[in-house]
Amino acid sequence: MTKESLTDTFLRMLENRDSNPAIPQQIFKIINDAPDSSERDGLIALLLHEGIGVPVDLDKSFGYAEKAAFEGGEALGYYILGYMCDNAETPDQAEGGPRQKYDHYDAERFYEKCAEKDSHWKKYACNWLGDYFLNMARGGDPEVGIEYLEQIAEEDAEAAEKLSDYYWDIVMPDYIDDTERTEALFRWTKTAARLDEEDEEYLYRLGWLYADGIGCGKSFWLALKYFGEAYFAGDWRGAESIANLLEEQLDEDHNLTPEEKTEFRTDIQKWRRRAEALKAESDTEDYDPSIEED
């Protein structure tokens, strides 16, 4: 059986801190009493920065982060240094003046150092770097931003959503028929929908892609599936899109029997009502589309 790392112990205990007010102090004691290591120094820096079991002390946090990063190459140390540089929390930045050891420009290199390490903290660094380079007013190099996000996006919903957003803004709404980009849009939208099944935006977006065959094979049934999931997740557009799909099918399928046409019209009306009801109630927290009467 593999021994639990100090970081794993910290994360496991942190998940339960709301259920027991004494847990933050227990966490600090366990980490503070642990044998000296760069992992311990990085975690103490985090505890001091966030005030977990100990009062916030940014100067001490900075010192432990420097030690963890420069003496042990610890990913968390680099991450905290990057965060403090980005948010003007380093001692020199707090004091001001022309001669500063670090400033906000150093955030990029510290996050890059963190992203090089295979650690729990890599996903946070890659997400920051993705945002940074996708922002033309900051990093200004979308290809680099995409590379950082792609490193983690298969398992990280936030990164997958950012990639979907990036390609959605390029491809839609004025459709750009570029296979590489449409396939990337489909890939990351599908990944985002898989990783976060409660986020209706990416379920709805995936339904749209299947309905129009953007980056994938066109599929009436898969479009219905994801529009339906978007609706039950709380997006009225899902219901409206189902009604539109059924209406298109009714107009295009000349082999439908009179009974099938009647059923289609009934379903179209039903989904229109559902869309209208959910849209009207979208700001009401207790609205549940799953219990709506047809």
Side-chain angles (χ1 to χ4, degrees), residues 212-231:
D212 288 349
I214 297 174
C216 59
K218 189 172 182 178
S219 173
F220 171 81
W221 296 109
L222 286 173
L224 282 181
K225 167 184 165 64
Y226 287 106
F227 282 142
E229 289 184 10
Y231 165 71

Side-chain angles (χ1 to χ4, degrees), residues 22-294:
I23 285 181
Q25 287 73 31
Q26 294 171 9
I27 291 174
F28 182 77
K29 184 176 188 328
I30 288 172
I31 294 173
N32 192 54
D33 292 347
D36 189 34
S37 68
S38 58
E39 180 183 26
R40 171 185 175 271
D41 291 335
L43 289 168
I44 290 178
L46 179 60
L47 298 178
L48 288 165
H49 187 276
E50 298 300 311
I52 300 173
V54 65
V56 171
D57 189 325
L58 296 183
D59 286 354
K60 286 185 178 179
S61 173
F62 175 78
Y64 274 103
E66 273 198 316
K67 183 182 177 185
F70 299 143
E71 294 185 14
E74 174 64 25
L76 180 54
Y78 284 121
Y79 181 81
I80 293 172
L81 289 176
Y83 186 92
M84 295 183 80
C85 288
D86 189 39
N87 291 277
E89 292 179 350
T90 66
D92 286 347
Q93 286 174 296
E95 293 173 5
R99 296 178 61 85
Q100 295 182 5
K101 189 173 183 180
Y102 308 123
D103 59 26
H104 66 281
Y105 293 108
D106 292 294
E108 176 190 340
R109 70 182 177 94
F110 286 133
Y111 280 127
E112 286 175 341
K113 285 287 188 182
C114 178
E116 292 173 2
K117 310 287 183 178
D118 185 14
S119 74
H120 173 79
W121 318 105
K122 176 174 182 169
K123 62 183 178 181
Y124 302 108
C126 284
N127 269 304
W128 186 92
L129 290 162
D131 284 338
Y132 177 78
F133 283 107
L134 287 179
N135 186 338
M136 296 305 294
R138 298 190 72 190
D141 194 337
E143 289 187 5
V144 174
I146 290 168
E147 288 177 2
Y148 276 112
L149 293 174
E150 285 183 341
Q151 290 183 43
I152 59 169
E154 288 291 353
E155 301 298 332
D156 186 80
E158 183 179 357
E161 290 166 2
K162 288 173 182 175
L163 288 168
S164 175
D165 292 345
Y166 173 76
Y167 287 109
W168 182 268
D169 289 341
I170 291 175
V171 174
M172 312 294 286
D174 297 327
Y175 178 62
I176 296 176
D177 188 9
D178 180 309
T179 300
E180 182 177 350
R181 288 173 171 174
T182 55
E183 288 182 351
L185 170 59
F186 173 75
R187 174 188 177 185
W188 296 118
T189 302
K190 187 175 182 180
T191 302
R194 170 177 59 83
L195 293 173
D196 188 354
E197 296 178 351
E198 296 182 358
D199 192 324
E200 65 270 17
E201 174 60 33
Y202 300 93
L203 293 167
Y204 169 74
R205 193 176 289 181
L206 188 55
W208 185 321
L209 298 179
Y210 274 121
D212 288 349
I214 297 174
C216 59
K218 189 172 182 178
S219 173
F220 171 81
W221 296 109
L222 286 173
L224 282 181
K225 167 184 165 64
Y226 287 106
F227 282 142
E229 289 184 10
Y231 165 71
F232 284 106
D235 193 333
W236 63 270
R237 297 174 301 171
E240 183 179 72
S241 296
I242 289 176
N244 292 338
L245 273 180
L246 294 174
E247 200 164 60
E248 290 175 10
Q249 187 73 3
L250 179 62
D251 291 339
E252 294 173 2
D253 191 341
H254 303 295
N255 296 318
L256 294 173
T257 66
E259 292 78 11
E260 289 172 331
K261 290 180 180 180
T262 298
E263 185 176 353
F264 261 80
R265 294 189 183 100
T266 300
D267 286 343
I268 290 167
Q269 292 174 0
K270 178 177 68 177
W271 285 106
R272 296 275 186 222
R273 290 197 305 270
R274 286 178 169 178
E276 290 170 3
L278 183 51
K279 185 176 182 181
E281 298 290 341
S282 59
D283 295 328
T284 304
E285 290 184 359
D286 59 355
Y287 180 76
D288 185 353
S290 67
I291 62 174
E292 181 193 347
E293 294 182 2
D294 291 338

